[in-house]
Amino acid sequence: MLILGISIPLLGLLIGVILQHTHFKWRATPIDWFTLSCLLASDVLIWVRYRYQATSLLIMLMVIVAIFVVIGLAWHRGEILYRVFFKLWWRLLFLPSLIAYFVLVALQWV
């Protein structure tokens, strides 16, 4: 399971790179696929380490980032456009998911 938790983000990044270089032009970049795979891998690594299903915690993380994005967009632009919101929210979710993933990988060897 630990190998699965470590290989999921690499697989997500590989899928993103492959889809970017095909003739299908997806709007999702490799970083978008990497964010999704980091969230899935974090759930797997929490299950391996603590035997706890952390899906609810990951959803709360996503909601907290979304609240900050909505407040920031409303303050900066004075309006909230859904396309701008979802793209900015997903791209800002990358950083907390990456930090959580690296912390969980480090905790596996402690």
Side-chain angles (χ1 to χ4, degrees), residues 21-64:
H21 293 299
T22 60
H23 66 279
F24 296 114
K25 291 302 175 190
W26 289 60
R27 289 187 180 175
T29 62
I31 295 299
D32 297 332
W33 288 96
F34 188 71
T35 302
L36 178 64
S37 59
C38 272
L39 290 170
L40 291 174
S42 295
D43 189 40
V44 169
L45 290 173
I46 289 173
W47 173 253
V48 167
R49 175 78 175 172
Y50 300 108
R51 299 284 186 238
Y52 179 74
Q53 194 67 33
T55 307
S56 60
L57 293 174
L58 294 174
I59 290 172
M60 283 181 14
L61 171 76
M62 293 169 67
V63 168
I64 289 170

